[in-house]
């Protein structure tokens, strides 16, 4: 395997860094200058016209991967929606909040935690193989839940659903297959498909309120298997294997075919982007200080060379799980009860509206992510979330004092604004940022570790909300306000910038010795911005 060489100097990035160290030059300045010379975003954009057969093939991938997300979104809507059905509570005999409901929701995240390590098998059987198995398990789990004769059977279905869902995760695949200049947008739209499932199911559940039988809650649980079934049918027909996985397995020519077919307009293997992408992948594998290890070996994540990535993964997973969105998701019914909204149809209608708004602004966010820096969006999202959580706490408190309908309605307005800001600034990155910060040799296991962190944080969060709403009522919002403020400070000092970099270029941010990842990433971002400005001025002067 050959190392990718710098076009101007004829040396690899690592060699350039070593030379800088010998000469006493600042290493991060060398790396920033080196990466700014090779404008992957521009070359990728020039190589692909999305209004072509290639664009249609990418749409096919988006359909299948979108079904992954939609399937997960259905469960989010089902669990939050059936909690408003009396038939559901009468059959199993428990209330709208408390230990039993908390256990049902927690079993999903426990299953995710248990299944997450098996994502590492994506390096053995391929990204598609693991995804297929996960969706097949979700179909089986949907049947177990929907036809459950008793609570233990339902619990088993929830656990299996979480296990399968852990394997269904597709952000890694989307980030690896997407053309460089479209990575943020495509992964963002992929993430928005979560809400498609939620919207469809929320609308259906408003109709189910008219049923007067156990099928009122059984039917939506069975429908959880619809989108996963579509994935199982089409994944090997419409989705190629990841070129990065193929290179890892020594199948360079197959990888070349995939890159040409999905990253160039005319399936041109001689297009500039093709050798450049392949060379970067090979260099990343050759120069990585982690190496490719056995699927079961997670020890590398707790070593000095990978520890920073692990810390970012952990903090980001807590950020995703503990920002307060779970109250509007699985526990919207008891949350609305704290402001006097108890009618099932009203609750489902509000849930549908919140979900639809989240979908629209997640799609909007998928365009913002290629315009603004990742860190800028994270900071903006956290500040806006804190503001609207404070507003929600104040109006909920006022309702508790006066039971005024105006304060109840105003609380709902704050919830909608919370959804708008969360979707616009943060939601897109939940499927993108964790993938970007993990190097290729560790990406499959890293996403498994990320899912484990999410699962553990989700279990804590699920029980905390379920019990917290019972004991604290509307005051539970204050807990999340305090946490999000801490998260805002931590994010500033810990999260590196990854926008407008290829996945392999991001590796340099973490693996360049003697540098701080946050400072280096910001210098690279600045260097690329200045390089683009110079190029634009040069083009104008030549006209």
């Amino acid at each position: 395997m050959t190392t990718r060489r710098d076009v101007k100097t004829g040396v690899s990035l690592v060699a350039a860094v070593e030379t800088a160290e010998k000469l006493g030059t600042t290493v991060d300045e060398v790396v920033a200058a080196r990466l700014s010379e090779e404008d992957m975003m521009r070359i990728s954009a020039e190589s692909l016209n999305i209004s072509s057969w290639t664009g249609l093939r990418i749409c096919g991938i988006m359909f299948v991967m979108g079904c992954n997300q939609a399937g997960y979104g259905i469960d989010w809507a089902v669990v939050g929606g059936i909690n408003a059905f009396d038939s559901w509570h009468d059959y199993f005999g428990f209330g709208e909040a408390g230990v039993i409901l908390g256990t049902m929701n927690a079993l999903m995240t426990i299953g995710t935690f248990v299944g997450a390590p098996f994502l590492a098998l994506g390096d053995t059987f391929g990204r598609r193989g693991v995804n297929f198995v996960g969706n097949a398990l979700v179909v089986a789990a949907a049947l177990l839940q929907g036809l459950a004769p008793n609570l233990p059977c339902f619990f088993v279905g929830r656990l299996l659903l979480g296990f399968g869902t852990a394997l269904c995760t597709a952000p890694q695949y989307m980030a690896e297959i997407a053309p460089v200049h479209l990575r943020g947008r495509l992964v963002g739209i992929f993430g928005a498909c979560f809400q498609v499932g939620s919207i469809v199911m929320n609308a259906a559940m408003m109709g189910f309120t008219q049923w007067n039988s156990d099928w009122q809650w059984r039917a939506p649980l069975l429908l959880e298997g619809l989108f996963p079934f579509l994935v199982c049918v089409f994944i090997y027909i419409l989705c190629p294997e990841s070129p990065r996985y193929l290179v890892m397995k020594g199948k360079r020519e197959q990888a070349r075919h995939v890159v040409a077919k999905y990253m160039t307009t005319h399936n041109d293997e001689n297009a500039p982007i093709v050798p450049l992408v392949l060379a970067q992948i090979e260099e990343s594998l050759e120069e990585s200080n982690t190496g490719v290890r056995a699927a079961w070996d997670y020890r590398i994540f707790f070593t000095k060379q990978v520890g920073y990535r692990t810390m970012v993964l952990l903090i980001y997973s807590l950020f995703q799980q503990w920002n307060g969105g779970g109250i509007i998701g699985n526990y919207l019914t008891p949350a609305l009860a704290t402001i006097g909204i108890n009618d099932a149809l009203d609750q489902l209608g509000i849930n549908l509206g919140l979900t639809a708004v989240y979908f629209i602004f997640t799609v909007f966010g998928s365009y913002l992510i290629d315009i603004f820096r990742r860190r800028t969006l994270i900071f903006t999202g956290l500040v806006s979330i804190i503001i609207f959580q404070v507003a929600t706490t104040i109006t909920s408190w006022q309702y508790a004092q006066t039971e005024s309908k105006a304060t109840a309605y105003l609380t709902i307005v704050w919830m909608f604004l919370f959804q708008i800001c969360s979707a616009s600034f943060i939601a897109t990155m939940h499927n993108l940022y964790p993938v970007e910060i993990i190097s290729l040799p560790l990406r499959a296991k890293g996403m498994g570790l990320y899912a484990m962190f999410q699962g553990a944080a989700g279990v804590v969060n699920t029980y905390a909300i379920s019990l917290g709403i019972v004991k604290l009522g509307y005051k539970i919002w204050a807990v999340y306000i305090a946490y999000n403020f801490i998260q805002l400070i931590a994010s500033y000092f810990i999260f590196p910038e990854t926008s407008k970099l290829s996945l392999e270029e991001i590796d340099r941010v973490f693996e360049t010795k003697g540098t701080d990842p946050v400072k280096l990433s910001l210098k690279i971002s600045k260097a690329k911005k200045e390089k683009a400005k110079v190029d634009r001025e040069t083009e104008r002067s030549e006209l």
Side-chain angles (χ1 to χ4, degrees):
M1 184 181 294
T2 59
T3 301
R4 180 169 60 91
R5 303 289 170 179
D6 184 279
V7 176
K8 294 186 177 182
T9 66
V11 297
S12 70
L13 177 59
V14 168
V17 170
E18 290 175 349
T19 301
E21 290 175 336
K22 291 178 181 178
L23 296 176
T25 307
T26 305
V27 173
D28 52 4
E29 295 288 356
V30 172
V31 175
R34 166 67 166 74
L35 293 183
S36 67
E37 290 175 0
E38 206 167 61
D39 192 349
M40 287 284 289
M41 296 284 285
R42 177 183 57 79
I43 297 172
S44 176
E46 292 174 350
S47 299
L48 174 62
N49 179 359
I50 198 66
S51 300
S52 62
W53 284 108
T54 300
L56 191 61
R57 288 191 287 268
I58 291 174
C59 287
I61 295 175
M62 288 297 296
F63 166 73
V64 177
M65 294 299 112
C67 284
N68 272 281
Q69 284 294 90
Y72 189 24
I74 280 184
D75 181 71
W76 189 270
V78 168
V79 173
I82 60 176
N83 201 25
F85 293 156
D86 290 335
S87 60
W88 155 254
H89 297 288
D90 292 341
Y91 188 89
F92 289 115
F94 59 88
E96 294 181 349
V99 176
I100 294 179
L101 186 62
T103 300
M104 285 185 177
N105 290 329
L107 280 171
M108 170 75 172
T109 49
I110 290 172
T112 301
F113 180 84
V114 174
F118 292 91
L119 271 174
L121 294 176
D123 285 342
T124 304
F125 301 109
R127 313 303 194 222
R128 296 180 302 176
V130 171
N131 196 276
F132 177 88
V133 171
N135 279 281
L137 290 175
V138 170
V139 172
L143 293 173
L144 271 176
Q145 290 183 110
L147 302 175
N150 51 48
L151 208 53
C153 183
F154 187 87
F155 281 172
V156 172
R158 294 299 295 168
L159 191 66
L160 184 62
L161 183 70
F163 190 98
T165 300
L167 303 183
C168 290
T169 182
Q172 174 187 357
Y173 175 84
M174 281 304 306
E176 290 187 350
I177 198 69
V180 177
H181 71 291
L182 295 176
R183 185 177 74 233
R185 188 160 300 173
L186 292 181
V187 175
I189 295 173
F190 155 80
C193 291
F194 175 96
Q195 306 303 324
V196 173
S198 293
I199 291 171
V200 171
M201 185 50 59
N202 273 313
M205 293 190 74
M206 292 182 70
F208 293 153
T209 59
Q210 305 303 313
W211 288 14
N212 295 312
S213 70
D214 289 340
W215 287 106
Q216 184 185 55
W217 58 268
R218 289 189 186 276
L221 288 167
L222 289 172
L223 286 174
E224 288 194 51
L226 174 61
F227 285 114
F229 176 75
L230 292 176
V231 174
C232 290
V233 171
F234 290 107
I235 190 168
Y236 284 101
I237 299 174
L238 299 177
C239 299
E241 187 53 84
S242 162
R244 288 168 171 84
Y245 167 78
L246 293 172
V247 172
M248 285 178 63
K249 293 300 180 182
K251 300 177 181 180
R252 193 178 191 278
E253 286 308 306
Q254 290 185 35
R256 177 184 293 276
H257 296 326
V258 172
V259 172
K261 188 174 182 179
Y262 292 90
M263 297 188 189
T264 71
T265 302
H266 302 294
N267 193 11
D268 182 10
E269 294 189 11
N270 295 316
I273 193 65
V274 177
L276 191 55
V277 168
L278 292 175
Q280 280 202 348
I281 295 172
E282 290 174 340
E283 182 182 22
S284 178
L285 287 171
E286 183 180 76
E287 298 179 349
S288 172
N289 60 21
T290 60
V292 180
R293 306 197 177 199
W296 52 265
D297 190 355
Y298 278 79
R299 292 174 297 176
I300 185 65
F301 288 98
F302 304 97
T303 60
K304 184 178 180 180
Q305 63 264 41
V306 188
Y308 195 94
R309 295 181 196 255
T310 304
M311 178 178 63
V312 175
L313 274 183
L314 173 60
I315 293 175
Y316 195 85
S317 64
L318 296 179
F319 166 41
Q320 181 178 0
Q321 289 289 335
W322 292 358
N323 63 22
I327 299 177
I328 300 178
N330 290 349
Y331 293 94
L332 181 62
T333 296
L336 291 176
T338 65
I339 53 173
I341 299 175
N342 297 295
D343 182 76
L345 193 59
D346 289 342
Q347 292 173 347
L348 289 170
I350 293 171
N351 198 0
L352 176 60
L354 288 168
T355 304
V357 165
Y358 202 85
F359 168 71
I360 292 170
F361 284 92
T362 300
V363 174
F364 173 64
S366 70
Y367 286 84
L368 292 183
I369 200 167
D370 285 335
I371 299 174
F372 299 99
R373 293 179 177 182
R374 308 285 194 260
R375 284 165 55 89
T376 300
L377 293 173
I378 289 174
F379 301 154
T380 304
L382 278 169
V383 170
S384 60
I385 282 175
I386 291 171
I387 289 172
F388 292 120
Q389 284 178 336
V390 170
T392 301
T393 304
I394 293 172
T395 53
S396 296
W397 165 62
Q398 284 295 305
Y399 178 84
Q401 299 295 315
T402 65
E403 295 190 1
S404 166
K405 287 186 177 181
T407 56
Y409 296 152
L410 196 54
T411 300
I412 295 172
V413 170
W414 302 141
M415 289 183 180
F416 272 91
L417 291 173
F418 175 98
Q419 291 287 80
I420 289 172
C421 293
S422 178
S424 299
F425 305 125
I426 296 177
T428 301
M429 278 179 291
H430 290 338
N431 294 300
L432 180 62
Y433 195 70
V435 177
E436 290 181 330
I437 65 174
I438 310 172
S439 63
L440 176 58
L442 299 177
R443 191 165 292 136
K445 285 200 292 287
M447 290 307 293
L449 185 65
Y450 176 62
M452 289 173 68
F453 287 153
Q454 282 188 302
V459 170
V460 174
N461 190 49
T462 298
Y463 272 114
I465 296 176
S466 183
L467 298 177
I469 287 181
V470 172
K471 295 183 178 181
L472 299 176
Y474 71 87
K475 296 176 184 177
I476 192 172
W477 288 106
V479 177
Y480 289 100
I481 293 169
Y483 171 75
N484 284 324
F485 184 75
I486 295 172
Q487 178 69 51
L488 178 63
I489 297 173
S491 299
Y492 181 83
F493 292 102
I494 296 173
F495 290 172
E497 184 57 61
T498 59
S499 64
K500 303 189 185 306
L501 295 176
S502 72
L503 296 177
E504 286 67 40
E505 288 173 336
I506 294 170
D507 287 345
R508 303 280 71 83
V509 170
F510 289 96
E511 298 190 4
T512 301
K513 296 180 180 178
T515 62
D516 175 79
V518 174
K519 292 181 180 178
L520 175 57
S521 68
L522 294 176
K523 284 190 176 182
I524 294 172
S525 180
K526 181 180 179 181
K528 280 184 171 286
K529 184 177 180 179
E530 291 176 349
K531 175 68 164 51
K533 182 179 179 181
V534 170
D535 289 344
R536 287 194 300 270
E537 291 175 351
T538 302
E539 290 176 1
R540 282 197 294 267
S541 64
E542 292 175 352
L543 294 177

